[in-house]
Amino acid sequence: MYGTVDNDGPGSTSPPQRTAYTATAPSSTDVQIAPFASISANGTAQWARNNWNARHDYPQDCTNYISKALHFGGGMRMKGVNKDKKNVDNWYRTKHMSPPHSGGGMYYLWSHTWTVADNMERFLSRNSNGAVYQESHQRYAAVGDVVFFNWGGKGGWDHAGVVTKMAGGKAYVSAHNNNRLNQRLDVYVQSQRGTWANIVRVKPRWY
């Protein structure tokens, strides 16, 4: 499931999800920067910058990278841990150990919202109070905002990144798959005719 719509290029087959809205860090990818009390936008962006070229956990890794930035960098709490992985109101990735009689070893359980761009956008649209801006209003973006891309204007959300720099009213995005550090948002949008993006300010409302 994690590779179906979470990609760094055209070809999404998921249904449209165009919702109208109003307007010195640790090197380990599993070390938390911010405490679990609120979400730190600066912590999210800092984690993303530190780990923009880190090893991928999945073949299509862009949304997992954003989830880890929000969780380990921003301190965003998981929701619905180890419950229905297809439920768009759950968001989690947890580590487990197999019992000795089954061979032992470590494995992970995760929700589709943790690893698929289209599902994460739906999760945030239902569970975050933050503003959402289209790329034409990127001057209102801030570091730590999540960006969702729709390649060619068809289907659902295909790719996700995080704003890691603002300069001159322009947003710069870091992302996984084809790893990018501080790539201008405009470059993404202009990469294919009809491509558009939403910039999401994440403000969890479940804690």
Side-chain angles (χ1 to χ4, degrees), residues 1 78 128 168:
M1 180 65 182
M78 297 181 189
S128 172

Side-chain angles (χ1 to χ4, degrees), residues 106-126:
M106 184 181 67
Y107 67 95
Y108 287 89
L109 297 176
W110 64 88
S111 64
H112 292 176
T113 56
W114 187 279
T115 57
V116 182
D118 201 63
N119 293 62
M120 173 181 263
E121 191 279 337
R122 292 169 63 194
F123 171 78
L124 291 177
S125 72
R126 294 164 61 97

Side-chain angles (χ1 to χ4, degrees), residues 25-124:
S27 59
S28 170
T29 61
D30 288 335
V31 173
Q32 222 173 285
I33 295 174
F36 281 156
S38 61
I39 183 168
S40 168
N42 287 330
T44 298
Q46 182 180 352
W47 190 99
R49 287 190 298 266
N50 290 345
N51 296 283
W52 72 275
N53 208 27
R55 178 185 62 85
H56 291 192
D57 296 317
Y58 304 99
Q60 299 292 336
D61 199 60
C62 69
T63 307
N64 173 60
Y65 167 73
I66 301 308
S67 289
K68 292 174 77 172
L70 290 169
H71 179 64
F72 294 113
M76 191 164 91
R77 294 180 182 177
M78 297 181 189
K79 185 174 185 289
V81 175
N82 297 336
K83 295 182 178 179
D84 183 3
K85 66 182 180 181
K86 296 181 180 179
N87 189 323
V88 294
D89 286 318
N90 298 331
W91 180 76
Y92 64 87
R93 183 176 187 258
T94 55
K95 184 188 298 184
H96 302 266
M97 292 297 297
S98 299
H101 68 265
S102 64
M106 184 181 67
Y107 67 95
Y108 287 89
L109 297 176
W110 64 88
S111 64
H112 292 176
T113 56
W114 187 279
T115 57
V116 182
D118 201 63
N119 293 62
M120 173 181 263
E121 191 279 337
R122 292 169 63 194
F123 171 78
L124 291 177

